[in-house]
């Protein structure tokens, strides 16, 4: 799933628009991490407990947004944004939202084509030309998140 904050994806044409999609969570801060963060804030610097909570919240709302877009038949989300707000004294709302779309990569010679879109169209054409073999799919590979806290 391509996700961009811009209104367009370079090298791609938006073929269908499925509307706004979002992911939402409301989290409460547990008293232990809130007190620990309060003590750490006296000295200044990063508050790892709060950073971890916000990172996990963003990952969760992104997954929910992508799931909603996929259910509608989208293969990309444009104009993606995050929004956060405080609800009461201990609750934080985190929301990710954007517009679910179906995009097609532009081929070589098409106005606006990029190296990536030309590669995608050529690769798709090569895969379609190859005969299908009865081989089992490769097992999924484990990936680690980009940031470890």
């Amino acid at each position: 799933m391509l996700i961009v904050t811009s209104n367009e994806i370079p090298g791609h044409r938006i073929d269908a628009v499925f509307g706004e999609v979002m992911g939402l969570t409301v989290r409460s801060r547990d008293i232990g991490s809130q007190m620990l963060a309060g003590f750490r804030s006296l000295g200044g610097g990063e508050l790892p407990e709060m950073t971890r909570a916000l990172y996990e919240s963003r990952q969760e709302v992104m997954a929910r947004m992508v799931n909603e877009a996929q259910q509608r038949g989208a293969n990309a989300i444009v104009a993606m944004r995050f929004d956060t707000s405080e609800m009461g004294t201990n609750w934080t709302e985190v929301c990710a939202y954007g517009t679910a779309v179906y995009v097609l990569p532009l081929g070589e010679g098409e106005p606006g084509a990029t190296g990536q879109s030309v590669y995608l169209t050529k690769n798709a054409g090569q895969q379609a030309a190859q005969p299908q073999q009865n081989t089992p799919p490769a097992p999924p590979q484990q990936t680690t998140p980009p940031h470890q806290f």
Side-chain angles (χ1 to χ4, degrees):
M1 171 84 50
L2 288 169
I3 302 172
V4 297
T5 58
S6 58
N7 292 331
E8 298 176 2
I9 301 173
H12 291 75
R13 179 181 73 240
I14 294 176
D15 196 52
V17 177
F18 297 104
E20 182 184 29
V21 289
M22 71 170 179
L24 178 70
T25 187
V26 177
R27 298 279 181 111
S28 66
R29 293 180 224 130
D30 72 78
I31 193 71
S33 66
Q34 193 171 351
M35 286 179 18
L36 186 57
F39 286 127
R40 287 188 188 201
S41 68
L42 296 174
E46 183 177 11
L47 305 172
E49 298 82 13
M50 296 302 179
T51 301
R52 186 177 315 111
L54 184 56
Y55 179 81
E56 290 170 359
S57 294
R58 284 184 171 216
Q59 293 301 314
E60 185 175 321
V61 299
M62 287 284 291
R64 289 177 179 176
M65 178 184 63
V66 166
N67 185 46
E68 184 178 340
Q70 288 173 332
Q71 287 179 357
R72 293 186 188 190
N75 66 352
I77 298 172
V78 295
M80 196 288 290
R81 303 285 188 268
F82 282 110
D83 187 30
T84 61
S85 62
E86 297 293 321
M87 298 176 68
T89 57
N90 290 333
W91 301 331
T92 301
E93 172 206 21
V94 179
C95 181
Y97 61 95
T99 302
V101 297
Y102 190 86
V103 297
L104 298 170
L106 300 173
E108 190 170 13
E110 291 185 70
T114 64
Q116 180 184 22
S117 68
V118 169
Y119 170 80
L120 291 172
T121 56
K122 283 184 180 179
N123 193 32
Q126 289 173 355
Q127 287 180 355
Q130 291 177 355
Q132 294 293 326
Q133 298 176 0
N134 275 340
T135 57
Q141 295 186 2
Q142 292 288 331
T143 59
T144 56
H147 302 289
Q148 295 288 330
F149 295 102

